[in-house]
Amino acid sequence: MEEKKLDINSIIGFALIFGILMYMLWQNKPTPEQVAEQEKAKQEQQTAEEKAKEQKDAIVTTAEDFSVETVTDSTKLEALKSKLGAFAYSSTLPSASATETLVENDVLALKFSNKGGYLSEIKLKNFVNFDSIPVYLIKGNNSAFNINFGTTDSRILNTQDLYFQPTITKNGDNTVVSMKLKVSESKFLEYRYEIKKDDYMIGFTIRSQGLDNIINSSQPINLDWKIKTYRHAKSVSYENRYTELIYEYEGGKDNYLGQSGLSEDTVDDVTYVAFKQHFFTSILLADSPFKNADLKSENLIKDEEIDTVFTKSFEAKLPLELASGEINKSMDWYFGPTDYKILNAYDRNLDEVVPLGWGIFGWINRYVFIPTFGFLSSFLPYGFAIILMTILVRIVMSPVTYKSYVSQAKMKVLKPEIAEISEKYKDNAMKKQQETMALYSKAGASPMAGCLPALAQLPVFYALFQFFPSAFDLRQKSFLWAEDLSSYDTIAKLPFHIPFYGDHVSLFPILASVAIFFYMQMTTGQQMASQPTQEGMPDMSKMMKYMMYFSPLMMLFFFNNYASGLSLYYFVSNLITIGIMLVIKNFIIDEDKIHARIQENKKKPKKENRFQKKMKEMMEQAEKQKQNQKRK
């Protein structure tokens, strides 16, 4: 084998190449000015990188402002096309990043996510929660908004996984945010949001352009909306009691899902779905009804003794229909307070979201208590407005109280005579009943007359029971020691939790319970004095005594976690009622005069009405049948 030797020509060649390289390096050496500029650029780049790390939320206005690496690698592009089909184009745009667009009006601060195109954060600028933290309806992935659809190339896509391109324009004084999921520059699925200057209602439209050959019309297109509601109030149990999913259907009817652990329902012709919290609400309204809606509500609070972040989870699945192969659905969003005045002003039946009671109870609240309280609170502090409204209610109801007391006084005067009838006919129950009814008829008295006025007050009682927990104006308004009239007042914290009572002591329920006890003592004493003792009947006096102690105790436990404004009302109401009854007893009603009037009425012939005649005939018939059976 021939030995390899280093050729002289090779050495010369290497030397020449080395020399040329050294010459080129010397020629390309930067000048001192170029070195200074490079150092300056390096410093600016480092400063920009540090600033980018400090900036957590990007405020974006147009797609041109995004700084995202565009997909240029052909392998990556083909992989996207394989996965997304025609919608791969959206991921090649600079907007294909998890960036957010911030838009504000006077009452809302909104963030729109490029990924999914939906509202990723909603802050109510004028409100804070019980811990003085701004109220967020949506923040930190507690909400999801997605359209699930099929494509003509056999794919199932979810908009929450795809990238939208944002643009912001003006429509008069309104701000328009357009989020487009693009197939090309002229073909897209668009979410269009129109934000007014000072309004909680946002115009919202979902429409497509040029997608008639891309969206598969033979498969369902479902809009899915979900929210886990944040806790905003001091009492999580009280707030959760008024947190519920409400919907309108069939042209104006409204209903709600239950408060149980898990509630589901499917409803036809739905025009709005409200994810209602106690004092704040998120509502999706449609200009034309959704064909149906699958609704779901889940209670997330398993133990009310444990501090919690979320109260309930709400879900709504709504179908979107195609027209000529395209989507075009006009809707509105409402994100704001559950305030009757604000919701009612939209004239879209949204006042039904506020739980004012059904039938006559809601009517009393809408047309009596809300206007009255609104007028009083316009010039009085809220606590004094409650007191003055309570006084007005008791004055209006005082004739009913008077009538009830007079009826009880009549029964008290008749008690000796009823006792005589009971003794005289103790062996003949039918005759005893007839004579007793005859006495009542002649005297113009009735044992039911004392109950009917009390029943007449029930609509007012229940209406107010619904009014105070729903009165948004009371939220975070203080009075005396109560920091918030819409929540419980606290004078002491307990180191332990009492079932049905809580871990605190509220003073207004205690005062209301004491007032109820004295009120019950007065009314129960009067009723026991007028109640006839009848053989074979249960001892009513014992039952009344039980009620006298049970009612205040129930008030004490039940209202300890309720709105202090409600307890204030009951405290003042019972004080006024006690005062009215004392005035009636000591200055208006004279039992001797009542007795004399009864005796005069007994002497007058009393014409029986048709009902009394019928009752008398039935009783006589029953007595005859009883006598015939004894003879047999």
Side-chain angles (χ1 to χ4, degrees):
M1 182 179 290
E2 184 179 14
E3 185 180 356
K4 290 184 178 181
K5 295 182 180 178
L6 188 63
D7 189 354
I8 188 67
N9 293 327
S10 299
I11 295 173
I12 293 170
F14 282 127
L16 288 172
I17 292 170
F18 180 76
I20 292 169
L21 288 172
M22 293 301 295
Y23 178 78
M24 289 175 66
L25 288 172
W26 180 78
Q27 281 287 81
N28 293 321
K29 181 180 179 182
T31 63
E33 291 80 9
Q34 290 176 326
V35 171
E37 286 185 7
Q38 289 176 1
E39 187 65 26
K40 183 180 178 182
K42 185 177 179 181
Q43 291 292 334
E44 289 177 349
Q45 184 178 358
Q46 288 178 350
T47 303
E49 289 175 354
E50 290 174 359
K51 190 177 289 185
K53 289 179 181 179
E54 293 174 358
Q55 186 176 359
K56 294 181 180 179
D57 294 320
I59 300 175
V60 186
T61 56
T62 63
E64 287 72 24
D65 295 327
F66 298 134
S67 177
V68 185
E69 184 179 354
T70 305
V71 177
T72 56
D73 188 290
S74 60
T75 305
K76 291 181 179 179
L77 185 57
E78 288 302 318
L80 282 172
K81 287 182 178 180
S82 176
K83 183 179 180 181
L84 304 176
F87 288 94
Y89 177 80
S90 64
S91 294
T92 67
L93 301 174
S95 54
S97 66
T99 321
E100 294 175 322
T101 301
L102 175 63
V103 175
E104 297 188 31
N105 65 5
D106 294 338
V107 294
L108 297 170
L110 309 169
K111 284 186 179 180
F112 302 85
S113 173
N114 285 13
K115 188 174 183 180
Y118 63 94
L119 279 159
S120 56
E121 185 174 295
I122 299 173
K123 181 175 77 170
L124 303 183
K125 297 169 69 173
N126 298 329
F127 304 103
V128 295
N129 69 7
F130 70 104
D131 270 340
S132 300
I133 297 171
V135 170
Y136 288 90
L137 298 184
I138 296 177
K139 187 180 182 181
N141 298 318
N142 75 311
S143 175
F145 185 84
N146 176 57
I147 296 179
N148 175 272
F149 63 96
T151 62
T152 52
D153 54 358
S154 302
R155 292 179 172 84
I156 301 295
L157 299 179
N158 292 286
T159 57
Q160 64 185 6
D161 301 324
L162 304 176
Y163 292 100
F164 287 66
Q165 186 181 71
T167 55
I168 297 179
T169 57
K170 283 287 186 178
N171 181 18
D173 291 333
N174 300 344
T175 301
V176 177
V177 178
S178 173
M179 306 293 290
K180 290 181 178 178
L181 174 60
K182 292 188 172 182
V183 169
S184 68
E185 285 305 308
S186 61
K187 298 180 179 181
F188 50 80
L189 174 69
E190 181 186 26
Y191 295 166
R192 185 182 185 276
Y193 305 86
E194 185 161 352
I195 300 107
K196 297 178 183 178
K197 187 176 180 181
D198 185 14
D199 202 339
Y200 295 103
M201 190 74 77
I202 300 170
F204 179 55
T205 302
I206 300 175
R207 74 179 189 96
S208 65
Q209 179 175 300
L211 302 185
D212 52 321
N213 293 323
I214 296 173
I215 296 177
N216 190 343
S217 60
S218 65
Q219 292 180 317
I221 304 170
N222 290 317
L223 186 160
D224 297 316
W225 179 36
K226 303 176 183 178
I227 284 184
K228 288 198 297 184
T229 54
Y230 281 112
R231 170 193 178 185
H232 298 304
K234 182 166 58 174
S235 173
V236 65
S237 60
Y238 187 58
E239 180 179 23
N240 205 33
R241 188 178 295 121
Y242 294 96
T243 299
E244 55 195 354
L245 191 156
I246 301 171
Y247 55 91
E248 183 190 58
Y249 67 107
E250 294 182 4
K253 299 178 183 178
D254 59 272
N255 207 340
Y256 61 94
L257 294 189
Q259 291 279 351
S260 60
L262 180 65
S263 299
E264 297 179 272
D265 199 2
T266 299
V267 190
D268 295 331
D269 297 325
V270 174
T271 41
Y272 73 66
V273 177
F275 295 165
K276 174 189 170 291
Q277 298 168 251
H278 187 187
F279 283 127
F280 301 99
T281 302
S282 305
I283 310 174
L284 178 61
L285 306 95
D287 289 353
S288 58
F290 291 100
K291 187 176 181 180
N292 55 64
D294 293 329
L295 307 174
K296 180 180 178 181
S297 171
E298 182 179 4
N299 187 8
L300 301 178
I301 298 176
K302 309 304 179 185
D303 187 348
E304 294 181 351
E305 296 182 38
I306 300 174
D307 197 13
T308 184
V309 176
F310 300 106
T311 53
K312 282 189 172 72
S313 172
F314 297 131
E315 297 181 18
K317 178 179 284 187
L318 308 161
L320 295 176
E321 298 179 4
L322 295 174
S324 301
E326 301 286 0
I327 300 172
N328 192 359
K329 187 72 173 178
S330 297
M331 295 171 280
D332 293 286
W333 289 108
Y334 176 86
F335 298 105
T338 313
D339 187 332
Y340 175 82
K341 296 187 296 294
I342 294 174
L343 293 171
N344 190 51
Y346 289 111
D347 196 24
R348 297 183 68 174
N349 203 33
L350 296 182
D351 57 296
E352 295 295 341
V353 172
V354 184
L356 297 176
W358 54 272
I360 189 174
F361 312 115
W363 187 90
I364 292 172
N365 277 322
R366 283 180 175 84
Y367 302 111
V368 179
F369 291 139
I370 289 177
T372 301
F373 188 75
F375 170 73
L376 296 175
S377 60
S378 66
F379 61 89
L380 286 173
Y382 286 91
F384 288 107
I386 291 174
I387 293 173
L388 184 53
M389 189 171 81
T390 308
I391 294 171
L392 293 175
V393 170
R394 295 321 305 169
I395 290 174
V396 171
M397 299 301 295
S398 59
V400 178
T401 305
Y402 172 77
K403 191 172 182 179
S404 177
Y405 200 94
V406 169
S407 177
Q408 291 174 10
K410 286 181 178 180
M411 294 298 297
K412 182 180 178 182
V413 170
L414 290 174
K415 188 177 180 181
E417 296 183 50
I418 294 172
E420 289 179 10
I421 292 172
S422 298
E423 179 63 27
K424 184 177 180 180
Y425 299 102
K426 61 182 178 181
D427 296 327
N428 190 336
M430 186 65 68
K431 187 64 174 176
K432 179 173 64 177
Q433 188 70 16
Q434 288 176 343
E435 291 298 321
T436 302
M437 294 299 292
L439 175 64
Y440 288 152
S441 178
K442 289 179 180 180
S446 171
M448 293 299 296
C451 300
L452 292 176
L455 290 175
Q457 298 184 65
L458 284 180
V460 174
F461 176 88
Y462 184 76
L464 286 165
F465 183 78
Q466 294 290 104
F467 169 78
F468 283 103
S470 304
F472 185 86
D473 290 340
L474 293 179
R475 184 178 182 271
Q476 297 182 344
K477 301 299 191 300
S478 61
F479 180 68
L480 299 178
W481 58 86
E483 297 178 352
D484 185 351
L485 286 168
S486 71
S487 184
Y488 59 81
D489 61 295
T490 306
I491 58 168
K493 289 290 289 183
L494 301 175
F496 47 84
H497 186 277
I498 301 174
F500 305 107
Y501 186 75
D503 59 357
H504 63 277
V505 177
S506 298
L507 182 54
F508 275 129
I510 294 175
L511 295 175
S513 299
V514 172
I516 286 177
F517 175 77
F518 285 107
Y519 168 73
M520 292 289 290
Q521 198 171 44
M522 289 179 65
T523 56
T524 302
Q526 180 76 358
Q527 287 173 359
M528 285 192 295
S530 63
Q531 185 68 36
T533 303
Q534 298 187 31
E535 188 179 346
M537 297 292 291
D539 191 345
M540 297 300 293
S541 62
K542 287 185 178 180
M543 293 177 63
M544 290 178 181
K545 284 182 179 179
Y546 290 145
M547 285 297 297
M548 186 171 64
Y549 293 104
F550 177 74
S551 295
L553 193 63
M554 185 180 69
M555 176 77 187
L556 183 64
F557 273 79
F558 188 70
F559 284 85
N560 193 60
N561 290 296
Y562 257 68
S564 53
L566 184 62
S567 300
L568 171 62
Y569 166 80
Y570 286 132
F571 169 57
V572 176
S573 178
N574 281 286
L575 280 184
I576 296 171
T577 304
I578 290 170
I580 290 173
M581 291 181 67
L582 288 174
V583 171
I584 291 172
K585 179 181 179 181
N586 296 314
F587 299 101
I588 298 177
I589 289 182
D590 187 334
E591 291 184 2
D592 293 335
K593 289 183 179 180
I594 290 176
H595 185 268
R597 194 178 304 122
I598 287 174
Q599 298 305 318
E600 289 178 10
N601 290 339
K602 287 166 65 177
K603 295 175 183 178
K604 297 176 183 178
K606 189 74 173 180
K607 187 178 179 180
E608 295 179 337
N609 58 38
R610 186 181 300 175
F611 175 76
Q612 289 173 325
K613 288 180 179 179
K614 189 68 176 175
M615 286 295 295
K616 186 176 181 180
E617 289 174 2
M618 290 174 62
M619 292 172 70
E620 289 175 351
Q621 187 69 24
E623 180 64 20
K624 287 179 180 179
Q625 291 178 357
K626 187 176 180 181
Q627 295 296 331
N628 290 334
Q629 287 177 356
K630 285 184 178 179
R631 291 188 187 123
K632 291 179 181 180

